Amino acid sequence: MDLDWCLEKLTKNPPEVLPEQVVKGITEQLKEALIYESNVAMVESPVSVVGDLHGQYYDLVELFRVGGECPETNYLFLGNYVDRGFYSVETISLLVCLKLHYPRRITLLRGNHESKGVTQVYGFYSECLRKYGNANVWKYFTDMFNYLQLAALIDEKIFCVHGGLSPSISSINQIRVLDRFQEIPPEGALTDLVWSDPDAVEQETKPSPRGAGHIFGSQLVDKFLQDNKINHIIRSNQLCMDGHQVLFSGKLITIWSAPNFCYRCGNVASILEVFKANNSLTLKYNTYTAAPENERIIPSLETTKEIPDYFK
Amino acid sequence: MSDQKKDDEIYPIAVLVEELKNEDVQLRLNSLRQISTIAQAVGQERTRSELIPFLNDATDDEDEVLLVLADELGNLVEFVGGGEYAHTILPPLTTLASVEETVVREKTVEAIKKISKEMGEDQIQEFLYPVLKQLATGKWFTSRSSACGLFSICYQNVDEETKTELRQLFSDLCKDPTPMVRRSAAKGLAVLVPYVGRENLRKELIPLFVKLAEDDQDRVRLLAVDNCVALSKILTEDEFITYVIPTLKSCAKDRSWRVRYMVAERFCQLSEPIEPEVTKNDLVEVFIGLLKDNEEEVRTCATLRIAELCGQIRVYQDVIKDAILPVIEELSKDFSDNVKIALAASVTELAPIIGKEMTVEKLVPLYLDLLKEDISDVKLNIISKLDTVTQVITIEVLASTLLPVVVELFEDRQWRVRNAVIEYIPKLAIQLGVQFFDEKLTDLTMSWLKDSVFKIRQTAARNLVKLTKVFGSDWCMEHLLPHIFKLLEEPNYKIKQTGMYSLTVLAPELGNEIVTEKILPKIKNLKSDKVANVKLYLAKTLKSLLPYLEENTIQQEVKPCLNELAKDEDPDVKHFATSALNKIS
């Protein structure tokens, strides 16, 4: 598998999608690598934490311009690589290739959109159909999503997850023993980890209005931090107009990395740089706006391949 | 000829016939793209007698298919026997010239023009002219519209009597009841103008041009502007003033913004061939009207052309000063962002045209206002061309007026603005001189190396190279290197990498001795850094510095260091170290 060749194609302007057989190959390879990894990735600082990308490829390119390139820079992605944007295929392909090429430099967690069910509704499925003429690539990627790790610990002090906490999880070890190799179920601990949201006011943990996961407040956060001897929780899952939002006096941070979300929300994006200075962990936000108009190409939505049979 | 041979020759056509009956559009398209091959296979005579007639019957199909058919027909001249027989391809093309889909008709006209180029005068008179006449007097507006595109190629190659008839036909088309036809005629007029001769131009074509310019369809009227451009190249000055300028003036005040926009778009093309005096007398006021237009698009379009127009009338400095500059000042307060962005793009180029004094008096305040705008494209447009201005004004003026504002932009929120400022600094350095630079700018230049945006750090590092080229390597050693070495001790791994990158890009400027004695020892310290990314970057840096090191230094100092890195437990450190070691061997 010539990853340099793949990366060259994917970093062209405009990017070129990889052939179907190559996608099959890289997703197989990543599954084989991830099968041995724990549900909780142990990450060492320095590392830059990245929130939702949602197929906004040109903004991922902008992110690398601002945050630095891989492998010179370490990255931890919190999930939601696909759906909504126009370039989910190119975005996830690029990240998979980077992960295979530099496994120690980049970590990919699972978000609530890394799911067969959700991607059929929010755009990844139809994008694959449009760009490849069939659903095979969608299947390769979504099969691979079942292998992505659920959470990360930076220097054993900062807990990172896509959504948030779960009423059924009080210790990180409980996360380690879950069976993650499945489609995200409608409820349960795995679901909570990728679907939950914090609430600044709410004290009790309640089911989330999203229909999956829970809402949790400072009570659960304090207990989780104390019981697990950690200092911060970093998560994504919710749009922030300023690119990030800090709750509970700095204990919980939401980071969002899709600027001008859906090409119309007008928000900025942030990444969170975690590094050691004077022997203590420092957190620094790096905020950026969407790549300018003249550096992105809006794809034409013409169908260039055969429309699938069930539409005829 | 034996039956077998006969079958061999018509067989490809039979296959084509079958394929063109296929339901699948893709297959039909692929077959049609093979026509040249088939024509070559069956030979010239059968192409003329069988293939072309068959294609004439294949003109009832989807637009996609007809488009390809028209295109391929245009390529068949050599396969029918050259220019002498080119006219045999006309029948199917004539049919295609009448179809509903505009794109197909346009391709057909192109194809007809293509094959007509191979035809001699006789053939054009005998074969093309009747086709044109047939189309021009056709029942459907589609064929009449296509006819308009064929006049110029026909006209050049026929006798006087036919020319008169052609002009009559053209005149009828210009007055056609269907707007689409009048549009095509208006387009065709510009192309015909060079060929009809001055007498006919004045007596016949110009009245037609004026009439089309007053058409009640705005899409016909806007084509009058292109016709003005064509006429400006042929007419004498007096003729231009008499016949064209009145029409141009009414287009510039047309009730439809599209027509006014077209005038703005083509303005400088119009004014270029004529004498500056005429431009000054008659066209400047038209241009100013466009700069003040109600419609944002028109103002933007005109604003982009300010510098070009002023360049054309630069002998008339007082006109520029009294008539145009006041309008520019108003435009800087326009409520539309696009107008201001356009103004920023064109106003820097005005400086060399109006000279130092006027620039300082009138333009510098304008630049200062624009640099304070919140719109990053405005700032970018000014900064990226600021060196055009600095070549015109003195360094004292620059230092006291523009520089403080530019310095503020060093910290603009938008990294691309900061980037443009960094790119501008070396150009400034030459004019400012070492002392001024050291006093005011060196610290700022170094602070960019710690910018939070990666691209800025890269640009800042490369900027050091440009400065070193201006001020010399001694200056670099004294003023820059100490700062860069400090970067290698910063806690943040990205800054350490920036330090290493700066040293890599400066190496060619500083020379082998400095690289060996000063730089190498400092960076080697990083080999025991705790962060793998620093170590892998060190390996990359050592590899880049190899061309600037002596052989024994490499063997004694670099190789051991790389060997150590190659044993690191991190696979990426190992990889880059090994790659560097491979380059040594």
Side-chain angles (χ1 to χ4, degrees):
Chain A
M1 195 60 43
D2 188 351
L3 290 167
D4 285 315
W5 179 85
C6 293
L7 285 169
E8 211 205 293
K9 270 181 92 80
L10 289 164
T11 49
K12 279 196 184 139
N13 189 2
E16 285 174 26
V17 297
L18 301 174
E20 189 181 308
Q21 283 308 310
V22 176
V23 174
K24 183 164 194 240
I26 58 173
T27 46
E28 284 298 313
Q29 222 182 318
L30 187 55
K31 276 156 55 181
E32 276 168 46
L34 288 172
I35 203 168
Y36 299 108
E37 300 287 341
S38 158
N39 295 343
V40 181
M42 300 303 281
V43 176
E44 270 178 41
S45 68
V47 66
S48 300
V49 186
V50 183
D52 290 27
L53 294 171
H54 279 303
Q56 296 184 202
Y57 171 87
Y58 285 102
D59 297 317
L60 176 59
V61 172
E62 185 73 0
L63 190 165
F64 288 140
R65 286 191 192 114
V66 170
E69 290 160 350
C70 203
E72 289 84 1
T73 314
N74 295 329
Y75 282 104
L76 165 57
F77 290 87
L78 299 180
N80 281 15
Y81 314 109
V82 299
D83 284 339
R84 293 215 170 94
F86 293 135
Y87 292 97
S88 299
V89 171
E90 290 83 347
T91 303
I92 185 65
S93 303
L94 177 57
L95 290 174
V96 169
C97 289
L98 282 174
K99 173 66 182 169
L100 284 172
H101 206 14
Y102 306 112
R104 297 276 289 262
R105 309 272 83 84
I106 143 173
T107 308
L108 301 174
L109 297 185
R110 187 175 190 177
N112 60 325
H113 279 256
E114 272 73 58
S115 130
K116 281 186 160 65
V118 176
T119 50
Q120 281 183 57
V121 179
Y122 286 96
F124 185 45
Y125 179 82
S126 40
E127 189 186 316
C128 290
L129 218 47
R130 226 177 32 247
K131 290 180 176 167
Y132 286 92
N134 61 48
N136 294 343
V137 164
W138 173 83
K139 184 158 195 318
Y140 301 143
F141 277 123
T142 49
D143 284 348
M144 182 271 289
F145 290 161
N146 292 351
Y147 288 66
L148 291 173
Q149 293 167 290
L150 296 175
L153 256 186
I154 305 177
D155 289 1
E156 297 181 40
K157 284 288 161 209
I158 303 181
F159 178 73
C160 306
V161 73
H162 176 79
L165 301 178
S166 169
S168 20
I169 304 248
S170 49
S171 114
I172 294 178
N173 277 328
Q174 284 174 297
I175 304 179
R176 289 190 173 105
V177 299
L178 293 174
D179 173 18
R180 78 172 192 267
F181 299 99
Q182 50 169 312
E183 165 67 12
I184 299 173
E187 57 182 9
L190 205 163
T191 315
D192 291 336
L193 290 171
V194 299
W195 277 95
S196 297
D197 295 313
D199 192 294
V201 173
E202 207 46 70
Q203 284 301 321
E204 274 180 50
T205 306
K206 291 182 170 157
S208 165
R210 288 185 195 253
H214 283 79
I215 304 234
F216 57 95
S218 60
Q219 246 181 25
L220 194 62
V221 170
D222 284 339
K223 190 161 192 315
F224 190 81
L225 292 181
Q226 195 178 29
D227 290 352
N228 293 286
K229 299 195 180 52
I230 58 180
N231 299 336
H232 303 277
I233 299 172
I234 306 177
R235 41 85 66 179
S236 182
N237 207 29
Q238 286 176 298
L239 170 68
C240 307
M241 287 308 290
D242 293 326
H244 61 270
Q245 193 187 40
V246 180
L247 286 182
F248 312 137
S249 315
K251 292 182 207 148
L252 185 134
I253 298 166
T254 305
I255 194 95
W256 179 266
S257 309
N260 196 21
F261 183 47
C262 291
Y263 314 109
R264 61 170 186 267
C265 285
N267 59 298
V268 298
S270 278
I271 56 176
L272 181 52
E273 293 170 0
V274 179
F275 61 96
K276 273 210 185 81
N278 307 324
N279 267 320
S280 65
L281 271 181
T282 312
L283 304 177
K284 188 169 160 241
Y285 297 96
N286 210 336
T287 305
Y288 57 100
T289 53
E293 289 290 310
N294 59 352
E295 288 190 35
R296 63 201 313 143
I297 299 177
I298 312 287
S300 95
L301 291 172
E302 274 171 41
T303 315
T304 49
K305 301 270 177 171
E306 279 289 316
I307 303 171
D309 278 345
Y310 56 83
F311 280 137
K312 286 194 181 141
Chain B
M1 187 180 316
S2 73
D3 275 348
Q4 181 61 43
K5 192 154 186 232
K6 221 171 162 186
D7 283 343
D8 280 351
E9 286 186 2
I10 64 168
Y11 175 70
I13 299 185
V15 170
L16 178 66
V17 170
E18 277 309 305
E19 284 176 348
L20 287 180
K21 289 186 194 155
N22 196 301
E23 260 185 33
D24 188 336
V25 170
Q26 279 299 332
L27 287 175
R28 297 206 296 280
L29 283 174
N30 287 338
S31 312
L32 280 174
R33 291 203 184 93
Q34 306 300 322
I35 289 181
S36 300
T37 320
I38 296 175
Q40 190 167 46
V42 302
Q44 294 173 358
E45 220 226 281
R46 288 208 178 273
T47 302
R48 295 196 300 269
S49 61
E50 306 201 22
L51 180 58
I52 308 271
F54 165 68
L55 291 173
N56 196 22
D57 292 333
T59 53
D60 183 17
D61 202 327
E62 290 181 36
D63 295 331
E64 260 189 281
V65 177
L66 295 183
L67 190 60
V68 172
L69 177 58
D71 196 28
E72 290 297 325
L73 283 168
N75 296 331
L76 287 184
V77 176
E78 62 175 292
F79 302 109
V80 293
E84 216 186 312
Y85 294 102
H87 62 271
T88 56
I89 313 177
L90 284 175
L93 285 170
T94 312
T95 315
L96 287 174
S98 306
V99 301
E100 261 194 62
E101 175 54 52
T102 320
V103 179
V104 176
R105 289 203 307 277
E106 284 172 359
K107 181 63 87 169
T108 305
V109 169
E110 253 178 63
I112 298 179
K113 279 155 83 169
K114 198 170 171 187
I115 65 173
S116 306
K117 283 208 182 85
E118 311 283 332
M119 292 203 256
E121 277 183 23
D122 293 337
Q123 273 102 29
I124 293 195
Q125 176 87 47
E126 198 185 331
F127 298 110
L128 184 62
Y129 170 64
V131 165
L132 193 160
K133 185 163 177 183
Q134 179 194 337
L135 290 171
T137 51
K139 192 165 141 206
W140 304 108
F141 80 88
T142 50
S143 63
R144 300 199 301 276
S145 180
S146 296
C148 296
L150 299 173
F151 274 84
S152 58
I153 192 152
C154 203
Y155 196 88
Q156 298 169 61
N157 295 296
V158 295
D159 59 39
E160 282 307 313
E161 204 189 309
T162 318
K163 280 185 179 166
T164 310
E165 284 193 42
L166 278 175
R167 292 199 307 276
Q168 184 56 49
L169 281 170
F170 189 75
S171 171
D172 292 338
L173 290 170
C174 289
K175 298 171 189 153
D176 195 281
T178 316
M180 279 224 64
V181 178
R182 298 201 301 277
R183 246 175 82 77
S184 304
K187 277 194 210 159
L189 194 145
V191 193
L192 199 50
V193 155
Y195 303 113
V196 296
R198 305 197 78 83
E199 180 85 17
N200 294 322
L201 185 62
R202 264 192 320 115
K203 277 203 307 205
E204 296 181 30
L205 248 57
I206 289 195
L208 287 174
F209 148 73
V210 173
K211 194 150 184 353
L212 286 169
E214 291 163 5
D215 196 283
D216 58 37
Q217 293 287 320
D218 68 352
R219 293 195 192 256
V220 177
R221 293 200 303 278
L222 68 80
L223 291 165
V225 184
D226 275 332
N227 290 337
C228 289
V229 176
L231 289 169
S232 77
K233 297 192 179 126
I234 307 258
L235 297 177
T236 65
E237 207 113 275
D238 290 329
E239 285 170 339
F240 186 78
I241 300 177
T242 319
Y243 297 119
V244 178
I245 289 198
T247 303
L248 189 60
K249 285 188 179 174
S250 39
C251 285
K253 294 200 171 72
D254 196 285
R255 61 185 185 277
S256 161
W257 73 268
R258 281 180 226 281
V259 182
R260 304 197 307 269
Y261 177 87
M262 208 33 115
V263 178
E265 236 270 308
R266 303 275 193 259
F267 206 89
C268 293
Q269 287 170 274
L270 268 162
S271 50
E272 215 248 310
I274 62 182
E275 283 292 314
E277 193 177 349
V278 177
T279 309
K280 164 184 79 105
N281 290 337
D282 292 285
L283 294 182
V284 169
E285 51 169 288
V286 177
F287 187 73
I288 292 181
L290 295 168
L291 289 173
K292 295 183 180 175
D293 196 281
N294 277 335
E295 185 59 51
E296 175 191 323
E297 300 255 9
V298 179
R299 287 201 307 281
T300 308
C301 187
T303 305
L304 282 170
R305 284 153 179 81
I306 290 177
E308 201 185 335
L309 182 71
C310 289
Q312 287 172 2
I313 56 168
R314 67 198 311 154
V315 280
Y316 299 107
Q317 287 289 321
D318 41 345
V319 172
I320 299 181
K321 177 175 143 195
D322 298 329
I324 299 187
L325 286 182
V327 183
I328 293 180
E329 275 164 51
E330 277 175 44
L331 285 170
S332 71
K333 303 183 189 99
D334 199 291
F335 62 79
S336 154
D337 284 358
N338 288 327
V339 172
K340 284 190 276 208
I341 295 173
L343 185 65
S346 98
V347 89
T348 40
E349 283 161 38
L350 211 42
I353 297 174
I354 64 175
K356 187 171 107 180
E357 232 179 272
M358 273 289 108
T359 299
V360 172
E361 194 189 316
K362 297 280 178 185
L363 290 184
V364 169
L366 182 62
Y367 299 149
L368 289 172
D369 281 342
L370 289 171
L371 284 172
K372 293 191 182 121
E373 284 282 341
D374 203 24
I375 310 159
S376 57
D377 279 335
V378 171
K379 290 184 275 200
L380 274 170
N381 281 345
I382 298 274
I383 299 170
S384 51
K385 299 214 200 117
L386 208 49
D387 54 321
T388 319
V389 177
T390 50
Q391 281 166 34
V392 175
I393 65 183
T394 61
I395 202 66
E396 286 82 30
V397 175
L398 177 72
S400 58
T401 54
L402 283 172
L403 204 54
V405 177
V406 172
V407 165
E408 272 177 41
L409 290 174
F410 282 17
E411 288 162 26
D412 194 278
R413 287 179 303 123
Q414 286 288 348
W415 71 263
R416 284 178 172 80
V417 175
R418 300 202 294 280
N419 204 56
V421 176
I422 303 178
E423 305 270 19
Y424 171 59
I425 289 301
K427 297 176 195 170
L428 206 50
I430 304 175
Q431 293 175 282
L432 288 172
V434 160
Q435 204 185 0
F436 186 100
F437 196 90
D438 278 338
E439 275 171 37
K440 314 266 184 189
L441 294 179
T442 303
D443 284 343
L444 275 163
T445 306
M446 299 312 294
S447 73
W448 280 325
L449 293 169
K450 293 200 215 172
D451 194 284
S452 60
V453 174
F454 169 67
K455 273 287 178 213
I456 294 283
R457 298 194 298 274
Q458 302 288 88
T459 309
R462 288 195 297 270
N463 181 47
L464 299 178
V465 177
K466 293 185 198 161
L467 290 171
T468 305
K469 284 195 187 352
V470 174
F471 294 144
S473 59
D474 285 338
W475 174 84
C476 175
M477 271 193 52
E478 197 190 317
H479 288 96
L480 298 185
L481 279 190
H483 289 278
I484 299 176
F485 290 146
K486 283 216 193 79
L487 295 178
L488 300 175
E489 292 159 24
E490 286 275 329
N492 190 332
Y493 72 123
K494 298 188 193 189
I495 307 298
K496 286 183 181 140
Q497 289 172 344
T498 303
M500 284 191 265
Y501 178 69
S502 309
L503 294 169
T504 308
V505 293
L506 280 171
E509 304 302 315
L510 296 173
N512 294 16
E513 209 184 300
I514 299 179
V515 174
T516 311
E517 283 165 34
K518 303 259 186 252
I519 294 182
L520 190 56
K522 289 277 181 186
I523 59 174
K524 272 176 64 181
N525 285 338
L526 293 169
K527 72 177 183 230
S528 13
D529 198 282
K530 296 207 185 81
V531 177
N533 310 61
V534 174
K535 288 187 277 192
L536 73 84
Y537 206 92
L538 172 61
K540 275 175 80 165
T541 305
L542 289 172
K543 185 175 174 186
S544 313
L545 290 177
L546 290 173
Y548 307 101
L549 297 167
E550 306 292 322
E551 186 57 36
N552 54 345
T553 315
I554 296 178
Q555 291 298 328
Q556 285 168 20
E557 309 271 341
V558 177
K559 208 166 169 192
C561 181
L562 286 172
N563 278 326
E564 238 183 273
L565 292 172
K567 292 198 201 113
D568 197 282
E569 61 88 29
D570 189 287
D572 294 319
V573 176
K574 271 212 267 278
H575 165 81
F576 284 99
T578 314
S579 164
L581 284 167
N582 289 340
K583 192 170 176 198
I584 298 180
S585 341

